[in-house]
Amino acid sequence: MISVHRSDGRYRGGDEAAGIVTRHALSFGPHYDPDNLRFGPILACNEEHLAPGAGFEEHPHSHTEIVTWVVEGELTHRDSAGHSTVVRAGDVAHLSAASGVRHVERNDGTAPLTFLQMWLAPLEPGGAPSYTVVPGIADSTPYALPGAGAMLHVRRPAEGERTAVPDAARGYLHVVRGRVALGGEELGPGDAARITGAEGLEAVALAGPAELLVWELAG
């Protein structure tokens, strides 16, 4: 089964006066939808837009696996475990909040910043927080989150090229760039597909290259 969720159907959040515009794919903060709380281990999929100089001041997280994908611009990350880095387009950043960590996320550059941030529930709570950045991850190198029973695949098909969606109990596909055909539906930037029990599914890039984030979920 494939359930398509369009970009323009996301809940709008953030603080425009502070240079922050957020689009939430699932229930988040003051937006509560009992029928859209999570998809498997995915608790949030937030599309963030930060103006130059804007950002999220220090705030806490715990018992959450947080994966960040920069679409354009540069994201500055600092946390209470001593990590400080700049995340750029094509990098995968993973903060395992574990028993608790505080962090800051800002656009300290001169250009607008857009990033996608996905929160996943861990299989087991607790542990020590950690932070990992994989720079310029290649299409053929999936990023594993064993603590959440998940695997992230980055796919960049050329126009007309087919790319297989992993067979899994659940899958979550987000279109970052371009347009793709999937199971009889056409998806554009910001659109997502929630997939349950599909086998042999393929996405096809339409009218130019595309960039997709595909989650392979154990449950």
Side-chain angles (χ1 to χ4, degrees):
M1 185 180 72
I2 302 173
S3 176
V4 173
H5 297 258
R6 301 296 179 184
S7 176
D8 59 7
R10 288 171 170 248
Y11 165 69
R12 191 180 182 98
D15 183 352
E16 290 194 51
I20 302 171
V21 174
T22 306
R23 295 284 193 177
H24 301 289
L26 295 105
S27 290
F28 197 94
H31 174 66
Y32 176 74
D33 180 351
D35 297 321
N36 192 30
L37 296 177
R38 62 189 291 172
F39 181 72
I42 298 178
L43 305 173
C45 182
N46 301 335
E47 186 181 279
E48 304 284 2
H49 301 266
L50 303 185
F56 301 99
E57 298 306 325
E58 188 174 85
H59 57 282
H61 289 284
S62 63
H63 312 303
T64 313
E65 304 294 318
I66 301 173
V67 175
T68 301
W69 181 264
V70 172
V71 178
E72 61 178 356
E74 297 182 344
L75 172 66
T76 297
H77 166 97
R78 295 187 298 274
D79 65 45
S80 56
H83 303 104
S84 179
T85 189
V86 176
V87 185
R88 298 176 174 86
D91 300 346
V92 170
H94 172 206
L95 174 65
S96 181
S99 58
V101 69
R102 302 181 67 85
H103 74 152
V104 174
E105 296 168 297
R106 293 191 52 80
N107 179 7
D108 289 333
T110 58
L113 166 65
T114 300
F115 64 96
L116 194 72
Q117 192 165 87
M118 297 150 284
W119 299 11
L120 289 83
L123 298 174
E124 299 290 340
S130 64
Y131 184 71
T132 304
V133 177
V134 179
I137 192 166
D139 294 20
S140 58
T141 308
Y143 184 79
L145 273 77
M151 184 90 71
L152 176 64
H153 302 263
V154 180
R155 302 287 172 81
R156 300 182 182 94
E159 181 177 352
E161 184 179 355
R162 296 176 177 271
T163 184
V165 175
D167 294 341
R170 296 178 192 263
Y172 188 96
L173 182 149
H174 179 94
V175 180
V176 179
R177 295 182 176 88
R179 304 195 69 81
V180 300
L182 179 75
E185 297 277 359
E186 184 174 328
L187 286 74
D191 292 345
R194 303 177 193 181
I195 305 161
T196 304
E199 295 183 359
L201 192 63
E202 293 182 318
V204 184
L206 306 172
E211 182 175 85
L212 316 173
L213 299 182
V214 184
W215 282 102
E216 179 182 353
L217 307 169

